[in-house]
Amino acid sequence: MKKILFIASECVPFIKTGGLADVVGSLPKLIDKRYFDVRVIMPKYMCMRQEYKDMMEYVTHFYMDFNYQSRYVGVLQCVYQGVQFYFIDNESYFGGGAPYGNIREDIEKFIFFDKAALSALPLIGFKPDIIHCHDWQTGLVPVYLKDSFRAGEFYQGIKSVITIHNLKFQGTWDVKTVQTIAGLPDYYFTPDKLEAYKDANLLKGGIVFADCITTVSNTYAEEIKTGFYGEGLDGLLRARSGDLRGIVNGIDYDEYDPATDSFLVHKYNAKNFRKEKIKNKRALQEEMGLDVDDSKFMIGIVSRLTDQKGFDLIAYIMDELCQDDVQIVVLGTGEERYENMFRHFDWKYNNKVAANIYYSEALSHKIYGSCDAFLMPSLFEPCGLSQLMSLRYGTVPIVRETGGLKDTVFPYNEFEGTGTGFSFMNYNAHEMLATIRYAKRIFTERKREWNKIIDRAMAMDFSWKASAGKYTEMYDWMLE
Ligand code: ADP
Ligand code: GLC
């Protein structure tokens, strides 16, 4: 039995700010339990919902020297859907209203977390063969494994892999501060190790010192080796390309299933969506205060409202798009200018635009299960899960051809009768608008063709089945 430890800053159902939580929460369940014992360790945030905190039980606690102080480290645990979870407790670090806030504080918080998680392992009595790190928050784990923890017999031979979910976020701060907090020698703070462009960079540390590197789609694995997508680390990623692989994300097919989804007024499947899904559309139109009308082309958006997701393109053509016979239902939070942009268009085109500027799992499921199309014109997209959820619910994705969007949405070809969505290549607002209008034309004028696109979309399999196997292949390979 091979032992794998996931270490991550977020994980469903306990806490989620984005797709990272979905991946960390669903992948361990789907890894073959006959050969792998996969456990997860994460912070215990005070802002977690009480029902989850109630599930946790105390395991142990200890004090750890950290940043010139002796710090409390509590360890809690619970088993959820067959997976063993551990939680690192320290109220002064994890007491905020959200997992992330001010970057300077976050840097200290997650260096603490990395060190505490490693220190807790002998007390828990779990010695992993591989520690699987996720994103910059866990970037120091591979570094510590090669450094201070190397001396301890317990840690001998533990391998590490880091998965890059988003290269944009690297956890950078000045060298002196990071070095002091981390308690690492000068040796590590050179441009071939943790230093990048004069600052200390936690993700870079992870990439340099992990035994393997993965990212969440094949296309993104290629893109990040280029200047445009490389976020300043493309040189390093090219240098480590032999150890870098792309494994596309899956989604939890039990959680996201239109046939059983308790958030949907009307459940449906690949056979009866023609009759049943439209009932959800009517219900959502009513709930959103839009015209209840089957013929309107209803476009959904569920997203963090950031530049990454292409909202400047949307802002640019919103007025023009709203001249058409469309409805746009948005759910998201993020940058103020985009929140206000949608509030503004909701006010201006009240019967066409519904802006929901908050976080809601229920509404997200309703959007996936009701809209005709789903818009995701990302500037870059490591994988993207929303388009996978849309495909699963027969909501036709309209995406830009980048990263995981390119790998998972196949553009409609009207001559060959193929494709599961619509896509455009250049980061250009009018190219996007033309693609939306093309999709709308197929929806309005060629309904049978449209429904066949849905047939093909719903027939795709983006459960974890294939990708979990790719991770286990990698684990096996690492331990050979
Ligand atoms: P990212 O991780 O870059 O934000 P993904 O597409 O990988 O993008 O994952 C986003 C996840 O967050 C999806 O599960 C999506 O449904 C969810 N999500 C984003 N915004 C909201 C929101 N406002 N309310 C509910 N769920 C949201
Ligand atoms: C990041 C990426 C997103 C990806 C998710 C899970 O948040 O932005 O594209 O799907 O991580 O890997």
Side-chain angles (χ1 to χ4, degrees):
M1 184 71 90
K2 289 168 182 147
K3 291 187 261 177
I4 314 290
L5 179 72
F6 275 44
I7 170 165
S9 57
E10 53 180 279
C11 174
V12 293
F14 305 101
I15 196 91
K16 164 168 165 178
T17 74
L20 169 63
D22 291 307
V23 172
V24 178
S26 55
L27 174 56
K29 286 195 281 185
L30 277 304
I31 289 181
D32 197 334
K33 291 198 172 51
R34 289 172 302 172
Y35 308 107
F36 293 90
D37 177 357
V38 185
R39 306 186 184 186
V40 181
I41 189 160
M42 63 184 295
K44 174 181 182 270
Y45 299 105
M46 246 151 69
C47 60
M48 285 170 165
R49 270 167 44 194
Q50 193 58 42
E51 61 172 303
Y52 297 120
K53 286 192 264 189
D54 289 344
M55 287 166 41
M56 300 171 191
E57 59 185 49
Y58 171 87
V59 179
T60 183
H61 76 272
F62 58 96
Y63 286 84
M64 178 177 86
D65 288 345
F66 183 73
N67 201 8
Y68 299 104
Q69 275 183 299
S70 179
R71 294 283 192 168
Y72 173 87
V73 181
V75 183
L76 295 92
Q77 66 146 4
C78 79
V79 176
Y80 183 80
Q81 295 186 345
V83 177
Q84 173 75 58
F85 287 89
Y86 301 104
F87 304 88
I88 297 294
D89 182 26
N90 178 298
E91 295 196 349
S92 65
Y93 282 122
F94 306 124
Y100 319 124
N102 163 301
I103 180 69
R104 162 66 183 79
E105 285 168 19
D106 287 351
I107 293 230
E108 182 167 340
K109 180 193 303 183
F110 290 109
I111 296 177
F112 170 81
F113 170 60
D114 291 355
K115 195 170 174 186
L118 284 174
S119 305
L121 295 180
L123 297 166
I124 300 169
F126 183 68
K127 179 181 172 174
D129 297 297
I130 296 173
I131 300 188
H132 190 153
C133 308
H134 297 269
D135 273 354
W136 75 264
Q137 292 88 346
T138 56
L140 280 201
V141 169
V143 182
Y144 279 138
L145 279 175
K146 298 259 152 76
D147 182 69
S148 17
F149 285 84
R150 192 184 197 158
E153 204 193 318
F154 180 88
Y155 299 93
Q156 303 282 319
I158 299 181
K159 295 248 159 73
S160 66
V161 49
I162 187 160
T163 295
I164 303 167
H165 294 264
N166 194 333
L167 194 59
K168 178 101 185 167
F169 305 112
Q170 300 181 358
T172 60
W173 202 256
D174 73 79
V175 169
K176 202 162 154 246
T177 309
V178 171
Q179 188 173 359
T180 309
I181 298 170
L184 287 166
D186 289 342
Y187 169 80
Y188 288 98
F189 295 89
T190 55
D192 59 335
K193 302 189 196 73
L194 265 72
E195 189 193 310
Y197 309 96
K198 305 272 181 259
D199 280 327
N201 183 316
L202 302 192
L203 180 66
K204 187 175 177 197
I207 295 173
V208 171
F209 287 98
D211 298 294
C212 263
I213 305 148
T214 75
T215 187
V216 287
S217 68
N218 271 317
T219 294
Y220 195 62
E222 292 306 315
E223 286 172 340
I224 56 178
K225 289 182 249 172
T226 70
F228 185 80
Y229 291 100
E231 304 289 348
L233 297 184
D234 44 300
L236 170 63
L237 290 159
R238 282 196 299 276
R240 289 223 63 190
S241 61
D243 301 310
L244 166 68
R245 54 182 96 191
I247 301 178
V248 74
N249 286 332
I251 55 171
D252 188 330
Y253 263 36
D254 296 327
E255 202 66 37
Y256 292 92
D257 181 358
T260 56
D261 193 324
S262 57
F263 294 117
L264 297 185
V265 190
H266 301 278
K267 324 242 182 286
Y268 61 92
N269 56 38
K271 290 208 182 71
N272 65 12
F273 74 85
R274 288 173 177 75
K275 279 210 172 67
E276 296 303 314
K277 192 183 173 209
I278 193 90
K279 297 178 185 166
N280 290 326
K281 178 173 171 180
R282 290 172 200 145
L284 188 63
Q285 285 172 326
E286 192 163 327
E287 185 181 338
M288 295 285 112
L290 303 168
D291 297 340
V292 179
D293 180 345
D294 293 357
S295 73
K296 304 278 188 218
F297 187 51
M298 191 186 220
I299 304 169
I301 295 174
V302 178
S303 185
R304 292 183 291 117
L305 303 178
T306 67
D307 279 338
Q308 175 191 338
K309 304 291 177 178
F311 285 104
D312 48 346
L313 296 189
I314 297 177
Y316 200 74
I317 53 92
M318 215 30 203
D319 258 314
E320 234 174 304
L321 179 60
C322 287
Q323 308 311 313
D324 296 357
D325 210 8
V326 297
Q327 292 177 333
I328 301 161
V329 182
V330 183
L331 172 65
T333 59
E335 288 172 33
E336 223 175 278
R337 60 189 163 130
Y338 295 131
E339 296 190 343
N340 289 335
M341 186 260 293
F342 284 116
R343 288 192 184 106
H344 167 76
F345 285 110
D346 184 323
W347 163 80
K348 189 167 177 186
Y349 302 101
N350 191 253
N351 63 339
K352 288 191 169 170
V353 178
N356 304 278
I357 310 301
Y358 49 82
Y359 185 91
S360 162
E361 208 177 319
L363 183 56
S364 74
H365 283 241
K366 286 183 197 170
I367 291 176
Y368 296 125
S370 311
C371 290
D372 299 303
F374 187 85
L375 182 59
M376 199 164 170
S378 305
L379 173 61
F380 69 93
E381 197 60 75
C383 178
L385 301 175
S386 295
Q387 84 280 11
L388 303 182
M389 293 161 186
S390 300
L391 289 166
R392 171 86 164 140
Y393 283 75
T395 296
V396 178
I398 302 174
V399 303
R400 181 166 166 262
E401 289 157 20
T402 184
L405 297 173
K406 187 171 169 189
D407 294 352
T408 58
V409 177
F410 306 112
Y412 173 58
N413 181 319
E414 62 180 60
F415 306 103
E416 292 172 1
T418 55
T420 55
F422 292 81
S423 64
F424 61 99
M425 193 170 79
N426 295 301
Y427 196 69
N428 174 299
H430 278 95
E431 206 171 308
M432 175 184 74
L433 182 61
T435 309
I436 298 172
R437 286 183 166 157
Y438 175 47
K440 178 172 172 286
R441 199 163 70 222
I442 305 297
F443 168 81
T444 314
E445 295 169 13
R446 304 177 66 182
K447 199 41 108 343
R448 290 188 58 169
E449 277 296 297
W450 180 264
N451 282 334
K452 284 190 201 155
I453 299 175
I454 300 179
D455 282 331
R456 290 189 292 269
M458 293 184 81
M460 299 291 303
D461 184 356
F462 288 108
S463 68
W464 275 108
K465 219 179 293 158
S467 294
K470 297 218 166 104
Y471 280 108
T472 56
E473 266 168 38
M474 178 184 70
Y475 298 150
D476 284 335
W477 178 79
M478 287 173 72
L479 294 173
E480 245 165 40

